[in-house]
Amino acid sequence: MTFASPPRPRPTRRRRGALVPTLVVLGAIVVLVLVLAQVWTEVLWYDQLGFLQVLRTEWGTRAILFVLGFLLMAGAVAASLSWGYRSRPVYAPSTQEQQNLDQYREAIEPLRRLVMIVGPAVLGLFAGAAASQQWQTVQLWMHGGSVGKTDPQYGIDLGFYLFTLPGLRFVVSFLMAVTVLAGIAGLATQYLYGGLRVGGQRGTAPRTTRAARIHLAVVGAVLMLLIAANYWLDRYSILTKAGAKFEGASFTDVHAVIPSKAILAGIAIFVAVTFILTAIRGNWRLPAIGVGLMIVAAIAVGGIYPAVVQRFQVQPNQQDREAEYIKRNIDATLAAYDLEDVETSDYDAKVTAEAGALRQDADTTASIRLLDPQIVSPSFKQLEQIRAFYHFPETLSVDRYEVNGESRDTVIAVRELDLSGLDAQARNWTNDSTVYTHGFGVVAAFGNTTAGRGAPNFWEGGIPSSGEMGTYEPRIYFSPRAPQYSIVGAPEGTKAWELDYPDDKSGGAVNTTFPTQTVSAGPSIGNPWNQLLYALKFGSEQILFSNRVTDASQILYDRDPRERVEKVAPYLTLDGRVYPAVVDGRVKWIIDGYTTSDEYPYSALRSLEEATTDSITETSTTIQALQPKNVNYIRNSVKATVDAYDGSVDLYAWDAQDPVLAAWSKVFPTSLQPMSAIDGALMSHIRYPEDLFKVQRNLLGQYHVTDAGQFFSGNDFWANPADPTKSNVNVPQPPYYLTLKMPDQDSARFSLMSTFIPNGSGARNVLTGYLAVDAEAGSEAGKPSADYGKLRLLELPRDSTVPGPGQVNNNFTSDPVVSNELNILGRGDSKVVRGNLLTLPVGGGLLYVQPVYVQAASGTTFPLLQRVLVAFGDNIGFADTLDGALDQVFGGDSGADAGDAGTAPGTDTGATPTPTPSPDTGGDTGGDTGTDASARADLEAALQAANKAIQDGQAALATGDFTAYGQAQKSLDAAIDAAIAAEARLNPKP
């Protein structure tokens, strides 16, 4: 009798909980939303601005290059690993080497599949990221065309160098990296699994299996072919090589290096063939010999032979041997930097001042700028800031405007919003994001005159704005100091909450509502999805819950004009200065954009950062040098504007002949407008850009020499003088905008100027050259004036004795009359600030003008123009006004009236200043000469009176009593005159 065993109970399956999948899904959603907060908001920003095509093109190109780079690298490495593993020998030879490798094979085997997937994928990610960075190179390669000029060595169109060669070099270098990494992966796999043996072999057994031999030989052949391609491309890249004296291929390069590159390319192809033969026949001796031959050839043909040519053919006759190639460098540099049409003329500058010498330069004299835009910003703030939350940049802009039918040089600034000026109690999300949303109005002062007390002579200012500017939209929503973001707009009929401007008559403030129903200035934030994305983007949950975020709301961000242009035109290098202009009733920010390249054959290479660094960029936080980038080609190809009210960006193709811009126009066909779209009002405020001028003047220090022999000797090279007004910054003096007439011009024009002195650490500080460019584009719609951009270079005699800026500054400082009066002005709680040292080619020589400001040394400080320094040759003038200083220098009558004729800074406008004695004559003012004791007593009394006047003036400033301040300045002037007279009696000039 049998008994059946009872059935065993089946184990119950544990049901998986839903927690883990839920957490995974939620995590994925959170990550996706966070990514969209950065990505989709960018799409909204570009779409609102009308430049979505730019984003699509850039991201699309980057994505394609990333995928291609990933697939190439990951695929090649994975294929190499896979082939190495699948072709491994079934039975590894029983050797000590293989026994030692067993432990590694056993350790790797459990992770082999993971390694063969993750390893290539990681390398692919790095390769894809690197490839995506080259999107501009690839786009230019695809869309670049011919230039119409050929290089002097091969006769190939320059488009090959600017567009095709960089793309080919990128492809070859990337494929070399892929091949090397795939080869390393295959080599390691073959060695690990026995396909390749390094240790002693058994009998006649080969060191590699047939599969390993084919694998490694194919990789070696591909690598050799890529090396050959690299050598061949080197033959063209050598035309941009930097040399000791000049850029481009030298005699040795042309006659030794270029042929050697071709030979080495041929040897590399031969070695590639030997690798292929090895894959077929199985003998590693041929490729080993070939690689050895290539190494020897690289040393002998690529190194020793060029060195021999340089040592024995070039160096004994270097000036003659290199002359042809130096000339190539000179011609290419002048073409690449748009310096071919510089109008050079000799200028035998006078150093002796004669009465009436400025009669022929009346226009220039009347327009000489007295306001230093780098110094007077505090005066703008104290007199026109209105509230602490408004801001003026520390360096103002110089422009020209037609006022009462006359073109006037103007120092102009925008009254920007600066939230850091608010009291701490007023800083909260509501105020920062919805109340204080914009600045208000522009402030403009004449450049060549001052008002009472030496303050800027404003012709536009106040809130609401008033003056000669006419009616314009004063609200400044987009500016360099604008808040990170603001939310503007509200449904119609809603009570306004955006602060427009302070106003006593309206209960303290006038509010406004941005008209979002008719004007688009930023992406809509009226739906919950956009509110969520922007709340995450800016880390502000208030965006989700504030009642001020409505269906009509827009969010304004990326409000710096430079940042907006950089985003919509990523191919441009932007000028370091962004300047405002009132155009057609709107405030526009104007920005100059450059296209650049470092692939122009034979052209001189320059660092943009070094070439554009000067005393302003070193001390200013608002004016920047260009980015640290080496170029040998540059064009001011685009003029860009940003509307300060609605943030709209307009890009105008300024240089239609620029081949680089032509290529980018094909990449982004809808983003650029033609020059014909520029109306006359905007054209009148377009000017020649500073940074381009800085680069050009840097090059002209050498490339004004066009004779190859003289260039080789370098004895006539120039340098830009250091700024003498900045004793703690040893960098070049900046160029200055001012209205002047060059000797060959019929009338004065708005220009940009700079000077040159001899090059060398021990050289004299005398002028050797003077460079000016016509910076005025005119006022004709769609067409700049014929002279716009015309560079004029005055070359002074090589034995010139015309003082340079350093010498002039020393003469000013060491002059006893000037130094005494400056010491008097700087006594007590006062500080003397000397402004920009301007140089003008007038009176048959070169005139220096420097404004002198006085400000309090502590407390409320802002500069007021009190004196003007003038020099012509060794003659010095120092007076209350420029007009008076010019008369002192030019024998009592300069022959022309300056802009401040008939006014004095220390008095009310229109008052006649007390004459200051000329330093040339010793100028006794008619007081009692007396004895030395009497003169000393008079001097001491005058100094005490001056000190008291300074203290009275500072006390008046502290209380805002400008009437009392004016009286104190009158007393100070009288005391200074008395002190000068006493000093003259003590130290009479012979």
Side-chain angles (χ1 to χ4, degrees):
M1 185 175 180
T2 60
F3 297 92
S5 58
R8 292 181 180 179
R10 288 174 122 187
T12 59
R13 271 191 178 178
R14 203 182 224 174
R15 293 187 61 189
R16 291 184 178 179
L19 178 60
V20 173
T22 302
L23 291 176
V24 170
V25 172
L26 289 176
I29 293 174
V30 169
V31 170
L32 178 62
V33 172
L34 290 174
V35 170
L36 286 175
Q38 303 302 322
V39 174
W40 189 248
T41 53
E42 284 293 279
V43 173
L44 294 175
W45 188 90
Y46 278 91
D47 187 42
Q48 182 276 326
L49 206 53
F51 286 88
L52 188 58
Q53 181 216 17
V54 173
L55 189 66
R56 284 200 305 260
T57 301
E58 179 179 347
W59 283 7
T61 308
R62 285 180 179 272
I64 292 171
L65 289 176
F66 179 87
V67 171
L68 291 176
F70 176 86
L71 292 177
L72 276 172
M73 179 63 78
V77 173
S80 187
L81 288 171
S82 177
W83 175 258
Y85 178 77
R86 288 189 291 107
S87 64
R88 70 191 185 283
V90 178
Y91 300 105
S94 180
T95 64
Q96 183 62 42
E97 180 185 10
Q98 293 302 314
Q99 291 175 7
N100 293 336
L101 288 173
D102 283 343
Q103 57 182 326
Y104 296 105
R105 286 193 284 265
E106 292 173 0
I108 289 176
E109 188 58 30
L111 301 173
R112 176 178 54 79
R113 291 182 179 275
L114 182 62
V115 170
M116 294 182 71
I117 294 174
V118 173
V122 171
L123 291 175
L125 289 174
F126 283 109
S132 70
Q133 297 298 317
Q134 299 296 320
W135 74 274
Q136 293 192 18
T137 300
V138 172
Q139 285 288 4
L140 284 177
W141 184 13
M142 294 168 57
H143 295 91
S146 63
V147 174
K149 292 183 179 180
T150 59
D151 77 272
Q153 179 61 33
Y154 301 106
I156 300 174
D157 188 90
L158 298 183
F160 168 77
Y161 298 92
L162 295 175
F163 309 124
T164 305
L165 183 59
L168 292 174
R169 300 227 67 145
F170 159 62
V171 170
V172 170
S173 61
F174 186 83
L175 291 178
M176 285 181 68
V178 170
T179 304
V180 168
L181 290 175
I184 291 172
L187 186 69
T189 306
Q190 293 288 359
Y191 176 68
L192 183 64
Y193 287 99
L196 169 67
R197 293 185 296 279
V198 177
Q201 61 186 106
R202 299 184 61 184
T204 59
R207 292 182 182 274
T208 58
T209 63
R210 180 176 181 275
R213 185 183 73 242
I214 294 173
H215 183 185
L216 299 179
V218 169
V219 172
V222 172
L223 182 60
M224 287 299 107
L225 289 174
L226 291 171
I227 290 175
N230 198 52
Y231 275 132
W232 192 258
L233 294 178
D234 283 345
R235 298 170 65 253
Y236 303 104
S237 294
I238 203 169
L239 299 192
T240 58
K241 187 193 78 168
K245 286 189 173 292
F246 63 94
E247 281 79 8
S250 63
F251 180 93
T252 300
D253 294 325
V254 170
H255 293 86
V257 176
I258 290 177
S260 71
K261 295 290 184 182
I263 293 171
L264 290 173
I267 293 174
I269 293 174
F270 169 75
V271 176
V273 173
T274 65
F275 273 104
I276 294 173
L277 292 175
T278 295
I280 298 172
R281 300 179 58 184
N283 190 339
W284 286 101
R285 186 170 299 172
L286 280 177
I289 294 173
V291 171
L293 174 64
M294 189 169 70
I295 294 173
V296 171
I299 296 172
V301 179
I304 296 176
Y305 175 59
V308 169
V309 171
Q310 178 70 22
R311 180 69 178 271
F312 296 104
Q313 290 191 44
V314 176
Q315 288 184 1
N317 309 285
Q318 191 168 5
Q319 185 169 352
D320 295 331
R321 294 288 191 185
E322 301 288 25
E324 176 186 352
Y325 308 101
I326 291 175
K327 185 59 176 173
R328 291 180 179 183
N329 169 252
I330 293 172
D331 293 342
T333 299
L334 296 180
Y337 290 94
D338 201 17
L339 295 171
E340 290 178 297
D341 297 325
V342 176
E343 187 176 284
T344 303
S345 57
D346 295 330
Y347 189 62
D348 190 6
K350 299 177 182 179
V351 292
T352 303
E354 300 176 354
L358 302 185
R359 190 163 289 112
Q360 302 301 318
D361 299 291
D363 290 347
T364 298
T365 305
S367 301
I368 294 175
R369 179 169 50 77
L370 296 175
L371 288 192
D372 184 342
Q374 196 178 3
I375 288 180
V376 298
S377 178
S379 298
F380 273 56
K381 291 178 182 178
Q382 285 297 320
L383 303 176
E384 286 288 340
Q385 186 179 23
I386 310 300
R387 291 291 187 271
F389 50 79
Y390 290 130
H391 172 83
F392 292 110
E394 62 185 24
T395 301
L396 308 183
S397 297
V398 178
D399 202 347
R400 69 269 182 223
Y401 284 83
E402 187 169 307
V403 183
N404 295 325
E406 181 184 358
S407 179
R408 300 290 298 271
D409 285 7
T410 296
V411 177
I412 187 170
V414 167
R415 192 182 286 108
E416 303 178 59
L417 175 67
D418 182 7
L419 291 179
S420 64
L422 285 172
D423 291 336
Q425 305 92 300
R427 296 299 303 273
N428 53 65
W429 184 86
T430 299
N431 277 343
D432 288 0
S433 302
T434 67
V435 176
Y436 295 94
T437 59
H438 59 277
F440 200 93
V442 300
V443 176
F446 293 117
N448 62 338
T449 64
T450 59
R453 305 174 303 277
N457 187 5
F458 297 108
W459 60 269
E460 180 73 25
I463 295 184
S465 297
S466 62
E468 305 297 328
M469 191 73 76
T471 303
Y472 68 96
E473 173 53 65
R475 296 166 183 84
I476 310 297
Y477 284 91
F478 295 85
S479 67
R481 301 280 294 201
Q484 181 185 24
Y485 73 92
S486 293
I487 297 173
V488 299
E492 293 186 16
T494 305
K495 182 179 179 181
W497 56 65
E498 295 177 44
L499 175 68
D500 212 9
Y501 57 87
D503 182 69
D504 293 335
K505 297 179 181 178
S506 304
V510 172
N511 292 334
T512 189
T513 298
F514 190 86
T516 49
Q517 289 78 17
T518 57
V519 178
S520 175
S524 170
I525 198 173
N527 61 72
W529 173 244
N530 285 2
Q531 292 169 14
L532 173 63
L533 293 182
Y534 282 107
L536 292 172
K537 180 181 180 71
F538 295 112
S540 299
E541 68 279 2
Q542 294 92 337
I543 294 176
L544 288 170
F545 305 111
S546 173
N547 292 332
R548 293 194 172 182
V549 181
T550 68
D551 292 342
S553 295
Q554 296 175 6
I555 185 166
L556 315 182
Y557 60 99
D558 290 344
R559 300 162 74 177
D560 185 339
R562 172 189 299 278
E563 184 178 1
R564 294 177 80 79
V565 176
E566 282 178 342
K567 291 181 69 171
V568 302
Y571 52 89
L572 292 179
T573 298
L574 299 185
D575 195 87
R577 185 188 292 268
V578 178
Y579 64 96
V582 178
V583 179
D584 296 324
R586 300 290 275 268
V587 178
K588 300 275 189 178
W589 297 99
I590 302 177
I591 308 146
D592 286 282
Y594 308 109
T595 48
T596 62
S597 175
D598 59 357
E599 298 290 341
Y600 198 100
Y602 274 102
S603 178
L605 195 69
R606 285 294 185 269
S607 165
L608 291 181
E609 182 180 37
E610 293 179 8
T612 58
T613 295
D614 58 27
S615 61
I616 290 182
T617 63
E618 286 292 280
T619 57
S620 173
T621 59
T622 56
I623 310 300
Q624 309 166 8
L626 292 181
Q627 57 187 278
K629 177 181 182 181
N630 292 328
V631 305
N632 62 10
Y633 172 90
I634 187 170
R635 285 292 186 276
N636 177 211
S637 53
V638 172
K639 300 289 187 180
T641 65
V642 177
D643 193 298
Y645 182 64
D646 63 19
S648 57
V649 178
D650 291 304
L651 306 175
Y652 300 99
W654 185 253
D655 188 350
Q657 305 303 315
D658 176 25
V660 180
L661 182 65
W664 284 117
S665 298
K666 296 175 185 175
V667 178
F668 304 116
T670 63
S671 64
L672 286 167
Q673 300 182 52
M675 184 190 294
S676 58
I678 301 177
D679 64 16
L682 176 58
M683 186 70 76
S684 67
H685 293 287
I686 286 176
R687 65 190 193 189
Y688 199 79
E690 282 178 88
D691 283 338
L692 177 60
F693 185 76
K694 291 179 189 178
V695 174
Q696 289 174 322
R697 74 171 184 174
N698 177 277
L699 286 152
L700 284 173
Q702 288 180 281
Y703 288 90
H704 71 278
V705 180
T706 56
D707 179 79
Q710 289 293 325
F711 190 95
F712 180 85
S713 68
N715 70 83
D716 196 27
F717 286 170
W718 302 339
N720 298 121
D723 190 342
T725 67
K726 302 291 189 295
S727 57
N728 58 335
V729 180
N730 188 25
V731 291
Q733 188 180 34
Y736 297 117
Y737 286 105
L738 65 163
T739 296
L740 59 85
K741 183 179 73 171
M742 293 291 278
D744 65 332
Q745 290 181 293
D746 296 329
S747 60
R749 303 279 289 176
F750 188 71
S751 305
L752 189 58
M753 55 70 56
S754 186
T755 57
F756 296 97
I757 60 174
N759 190 35
S761 57
R764 295 188 306 153
N765 196 281
V766 294
L767 284 191
T768 56
Y770 184 94
L771 179 67
V773 63
D774 195 323
E776 191 169 348
S779 58
E780 183 178 349
K783 184 180 179 181
S785 66
D787 286 337
Y788 171 82
K790 181 68 176 178
L791 288 157
R792 294 177 171 87
L793 177 63
L794 303 180
E795 291 190 350
L796 277 68
R798 287 175 175 79
D799 59 352
S800 168
T801 58
V802 177
Q807 279 194 15
V808 170
N809 182 71
N810 180 75
N811 293 344
F812 285 158
T813 304
S814 60
D815 184 88
V817 175
V818 173
S819 62
N820 281 339
E821 188 164 349
L822 290 179
N823 288 334
I824 294 171
L825 290 173
R827 286 196 175 192
D829 194 29
S830 294
K831 177 182 177 182
V832 174
V833 181
R834 286 160 64 173
N836 44 205
L837 185 58
L838 305 178
T839 311
L840 301 99
V842 294
L846 288 155
L847 177 74
Y848 288 93
V849 176
Q850 184 176 44
V852 177
Y853 300 86
V854 177
Q855 67 181 39
S858 60
T860 301
T861 67
F862 62 96
L864 298 173
L865 182 66
Q866 297 299 311
R867 298 292 185 271
V868 181
L869 281 163
V870 172
F872 189 96
D874 291 328
N875 292 50
I876 294 175
F878 188 46
D880 299 343
T881 64
L882 172 60
D883 196 62
L886 289 173
D887 285 342
Q888 288 180 14
V889 169
F890 292 98
D893 180 14
S894 67
D897 290 334
D900 63 351
T903 65
T907 61
D908 293 334
T909 303
T912 303
T914 304
T916 301
S918 168
D920 294 327
T921 63
D924 190 349
T925 58
D928 179 21
T929 56
T931 63
D932 287 352
S934 174
R936 290 193 185 92
D938 290 346
L939 177 61
E940 182 62 30
L943 293 176
Q944 292 177 1
N947 187 45
K948 182 178 185 304
I950 290 172
Q951 293 177 357
D952 291 344
Q954 296 303 323
L957 282 178
T959 60
D961 188 347
F962 288 103
T963 301
Y965 179 77
Q967 293 299 325
Q969 291 302 300
K970 289 181 181 179
S971 300
L972 177 61
D973 289 338
I976 291 173
D977 290 338
I980 291 174
E983 177 69 23
R985 288 156 54 201
L986 282 172
N987 300 291
K989 291 188 177 181

